Amino acid sequence: MNKEFDEIYKMYSADLYKFIMKLCRNEAQAMDIMQDTMLKAITSIDKFRGDCSIKTYLFTIARNLYTDSIKKAESKNVSSDELETEFPDNSSFVDRLADKESALKIHRLLHLLDEPYKEIFSLRVFAELSFKEIGGVFGKTENWARTTFFRGKKKLIELMDKEELT
């Protein structure tokens, strides 16, 4: 069983870490959530029904742990802004854009989007999840994920037009 989890870790840890970083934007918190995610996956594998991929299962656990950490911070009267630091340079995203300045503006605009648009956009673009996997993370259908992504993308393009980035 340890060998199976080693393989799962090798296959998904990089994508999982990127996803968590997009959520919390804090390296230390991302590492904590990632470790907690893997631990929870190992200890609760008997709850995995197999109706989604392992990747979707891990991303769902990570998302829930992140949400729990925000609730916990709020209950301690710590603002969620105090948990977040500057966004690190994400070269894979920046490489797709013409220049770093545009990339930073797009990241800023992305964070202006309401939920679930922001999270779905991040899951699709940064974590490269399929619409089916995204639907699974939210407990919704593939079509819901697809529609919500395209609505979020449209809103982001509208914001970009206002900022004259297109």
Side-chain angles (χ1 to χ4, degrees):
M1 185 131 170
N2 283 341
K3 188 175 181 178
E4 292 171 356
F5 278 109
D6 286 343
E7 290 177 30
I8 289 170
Y9 184 85
K10 287 176 187 173
M11 287 178 66
Y12 301 113
S13 62
D15 289 340
L16 184 62
Y17 180 76
K18 287 179 198 175
F19 168 66
I20 297 168
M21 278 297 295
K22 299 302 174 206
L23 292 175
C24 67
R25 298 176 294 191
N26 178 296
E27 289 182 35
Q29 186 182 16
M31 286 304 297
D32 287 345
I33 292 172
M34 187 165 140
Q35 290 173 354
D36 291 345
T37 298
M38 291 301 189
L39 179 62
K40 189 165 187 163
I42 290 170
T43 58
S44 64
I45 194 66
D46 56 321
K47 294 179 183 176
F48 179 64
R49 296 183 309 262
D51 54 353
C52 64
S53 71
I54 292 289
K55 186 174 182 178
T56 300
Y57 181 65
L58 292 172
F59 276 56
T60 302
I61 292 171
R63 180 176 171 263
N64 291 339
L65 288 172
Y66 172 71
T67 302
D68 291 346
S69 73
I70 294 298
K71 288 177 185 175
K72 188 175 181 181
E74 288 172 355
S75 71
K76 291 182 178 180
N77 293 325
V78 176
S79 87
S80 60
D81 291 335
E82 292 176 31
L83 295 175
E84 299 173 351
T85 58
E86 263 187 32
F87 214 165
D89 181 21
N90 187 325
S91 58
S92 65
F93 185 70
V94 174
D95 289 344
R96 296 179 191 173
L97 300 171
D99 59 277
K100 189 172 183 175
E101 185 177 324
S102 293
L104 292 174
K105 287 178 182 177
I106 291 170
H107 275 291
R108 183 180 54 79
L109 293 174
L110 176 62
H111 292 288
L112 295 176
L113 292 179
D114 294 328
E115 292 297 347
Y117 303 116
K118 177 175 34 176
E119 189 170 352
I120 289 174
F121 191 87
S122 294
L123 286 169
R124 180 70 179 163
V125 174
F126 302 117
E128 299 178 356
L129 290 182
S130 70
F131 290 116
K132 184 176 182 179
E133 291 171 320
I134 294 169
V137 168
F138 284 88
K140 305 276 187 174
T141 66
E142 180 178 348
N143 284 338
W144 175 87
R146 186 180 307 276
T147 301
T148 307
F149 171 78
F150 284 108
R151 287 179 183 163
K153 184 178 172 182
K154 182 179 178 184
K155 289 176 183 280
L156 185 58
I157 290 170
E158 289 170 3
L159 289 171
M160 290 170 65
D161 286 341
K162 286 179 185 175
E163 297 274 332
E164 298 178 7
L165 290 175
T166 55

